[in-house]
């Protein structure tokens, strides 16, 4: 591991920032206390909401933690396509007895206000998704003593992060649950994502930055594999989603190992951006027609997803999950970190014996 990452956590285990409620202060604090690196997700929160969660986690742990920000999105959506999708969702609104959301509720996710807070009262780590910050922003965090990470899905994005001055890249393979962190949402590239092990190799040959590997990782043996491939640490989301400390909806947690949900797919149905989730009715019916329009579609379907959860209907929820979801273990977060670390040690010992 790079020395900067080593200083942040005892084990090379990072809890992924999962926007939408899962990555709450309780989960992040439990992971950090156990020797991993816990993360808060600032996405979809107000700047004050993020600030309150930072205050809360500081009261729960004295260990390092991170905060993840969504980059502002360019206005590339076709309003006519969003309007057509609104009409297609009219039946859902009637079924769940809720009005559709306003697609024009905002594209910047309060980015500037969140930056100001995190620069005024620095946290140990800040990561970025859906793009790369400017060199000016990353230099400001460096001066504040904050370690910065940029999520990348291609070697070219990793190169952009290195040029901008990031301290590390989070390399996200196509196996990952939730949104693909691509810097530019290109519908022509749908389905062309790179698998994690190949992507680690490509990125390592392109940049000199430490790599945090993300995508479908659920066991210590898999962590050993990505470390052997050149990563400095592994980031796990779905594995921590089912922990009791996770703020994810109980229906979402149960769906991870429910035999009713047999596979995952990338879809634009819920947000207008490719995201991997368990295939359910909503995804099957609306995925083929959903436009490339993020965050407009996210805002449009927000009320539907909340109403489905309230009605106890996982078929209308965004059940984000990585490809390894069936291996989820409902353990307390601290215990899961310890189990993963023990599995990692066993895998490394087996590799050492095999090479002796």
């Amino acid at each position: 591991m790079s020395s900067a990452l080593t200083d942040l956590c005892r084990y090379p285990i990072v809890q992924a920032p999962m926007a939408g409620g899962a990555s709450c202060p309780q989960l992040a604090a439990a992971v950090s206390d156990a020797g991993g690196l816990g993360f808060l997700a600032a996405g979809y929160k107000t700047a004050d909401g993020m600030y309150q969660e930072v205050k809360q986690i500081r009261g729960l742990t004295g260990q390092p933690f991170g905060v993840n920000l969504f980059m502002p999105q360019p206005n590339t959506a076709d309003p006519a396509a969003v309007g057509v999708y609104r009409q297609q969702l009219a039946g859902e609104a009637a079924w769940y007895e809720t009005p559709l959301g306003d697609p024009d509720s905002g594209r910047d996710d309060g980015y500037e206000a969140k930056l100001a807070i995190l620069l005024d009262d620095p946290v140990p780590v800040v990561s970025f998704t859906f793009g790369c910050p400017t060199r000016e922003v990353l230099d400001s965090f460096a001066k504040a003593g904050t370690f910065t990470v940029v999520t990348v899905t291609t070697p070219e994005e990793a190169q952009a992060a290195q040029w901008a001055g990031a301290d590390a890249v989070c390399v996200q393979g196509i196996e990952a649950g939730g949104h693909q962190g691509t810097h530019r949402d290109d519908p022509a590239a749908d389905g062309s994502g790179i698998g994690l092990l190949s992507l680690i190799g490509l990125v390592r040959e392109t940049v000199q930055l430490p790599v945090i590997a993300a995508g479908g990782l659920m066991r210590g043996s898999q962590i050993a594999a990505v470390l052997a491939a050149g990563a400095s640490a592994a980031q796990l989301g779905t594995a921590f989603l089912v922990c009791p400390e996770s703020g994810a909806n109980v229906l979402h947690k149960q769906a991870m190992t429910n035999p009713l949900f047999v596979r995952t797919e990338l879809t634009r149905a819920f947000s207008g951006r490719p995201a991997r989730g368990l295939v359910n009715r909503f995804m099957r019916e609306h995925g083929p027609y959903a436009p490339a329009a993020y965050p407009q579609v996210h805002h449009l379907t927000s009320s539907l997803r909340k109403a489905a959860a309230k009605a106890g209907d996982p078929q209308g929820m965004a059940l984000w999950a990585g490809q390894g979801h069936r291996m989820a273990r409902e353990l307390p977060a601290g215990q899961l970190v310890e189990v993963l670390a023990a599995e990692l040690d066993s895998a490394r010992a087996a590799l050492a014996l095999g090479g002796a």
Side-chain angles (χ1 to χ4, degrees):
M1 291 179 72
S2 77
S3 59
L5 276 174
T6 306
D7 292 343
L8 290 168
C9 47
R10 187 160 75 251
Y11 303 124
I13 298 170
V14 180
Q15 165 247 312
M18 296 171 280
S23 297
C24 58
Q26 292 79 6
L27 177 63
V31 171
S32 290
D33 275 345
L37 181 65
F39 251 95
L40 296 175
Y44 308 136
K45 292 186 174 73
T46 63
D48 183 62
M50 178 199 74
Y51 176 67
Q52 295 303 325
E53 288 207 344
V54 169
K55 278 178 62 177
Q56 195 176 346
I57 193 174
R58 282 177 168 148
L60 293 170
T61 182
Q63 299 302 315
F65 63 92
V67 176
N68 175 258
L69 300 180
F70 284 173
M71 294 296 298
Q73 297 300 290
N75 189 17
T76 56
D78 177 1
V82 175
V84 169
Y85 196 53
R86 171 186 278 278
Q87 293 172 355
Q88 290 171 331
L89 294 176
E92 299 283 351
W95 175 256
Y96 290 114
E97 299 180 336
T98 187
L100 293 168
D102 177 8
D104 300 314
S105 297
R107 293 192 309 275
D108 69 356
D109 201 51
Y111 178 70
E112 294 294 341
K114 290 171 183 175
L115 284 183
I117 289 170
L118 294 172
L119 287 169
D120 181 61
D121 190 6
V123 300
V125 187
V126 172
S127 68
F128 301 86
T129 301
F130 300 151
C132 183
T134 62
R135 173 166 284 280
E136 180 184 14
V137 166
L138 292 172
D139 284 350
S140 296
F141 277 114
K143 288 173 187 169
T146 296
F147 189 87
T148 53
V149 182
V150 174
T151 304
V152 302
T153 61
T154 65
E156 293 76 19
E157 291 174 353
Q159 200 163 52
Q162 181 170 269
W163 286 339
D167 292 314
V169 287
C170 178
V171 172
Q172 185 195 43
I174 194 71
E175 305 94 334
H179 284 94
Q180 290 287 296
T182 49
H183 293 191
R184 188 171 68 91
D185 183 15
D186 179 8
D190 281 5
S192 65
I194 306 170
L196 181 57
L197 287 176
S198 296
L199 187 57
I200 292 169
L202 290 165
V203 168
R204 289 271 295 163
E205 291 192 2
T206 305
V207 302
Q208 280 71 55
L209 294 175
V211 165
I212 300 170
L217 305 176
M218 303 292 288
R219 296 284 188 268
S221 57
Q222 294 172 306
I223 297 174
V226 297
L227 296 182
S232 295
Q235 180 170 288
L236 293 77
T238 305
F240 286 106
L241 182 80
V242 298
C243 293
E245 297 92 340
S246 159
N249 185 285
V250 66
L251 295 171
H252 192 170
K253 293 181 179 184
Q254 292 169 349
M256 291 300 109
T257 52
N258 186 335
L260 187 65
F261 301 103
V262 296
R263 71 182 196 279
T264 65
E265 280 184 10
L266 288 168
T267 186
R268 294 180 181 272
F270 296 101
S271 72
R273 215 179 203 280
R276 183 174 297 283
L278 300 176
V279 177
N280 61 4
R281 178 194 60 79
F282 194 100
M283 191 189 294
R284 284 192 298 269
E285 291 182 4
H286 302 292
Y289 315 106
Y294 178 86
Q296 288 88 345
V297 171
H298 164 79
H299 296 314
L300 192 65
T301 67
S302 177
S303 58
L304 296 177
R305 289 178 274 122
K306 288 174 183 172
K310 189 175 180 181
D313 181 12
Q315 295 294 342
M317 297 168 60
L319 303 173
W320 302 139
Q323 287 185 340
H325 66 95
R326 297 299 289 272
M327 293 190 285
R329 297 175 284 200
E330 196 177 336
L331 298 172
Q335 186 181 339
L336 179 57
V337 170
E338 292 168 3
V339 168
L340 289 166
E343 291 173 346
L344 171 59
D345 285 345
S346 295
R348 282 172 156 170
L351 285 170
L353 280 173

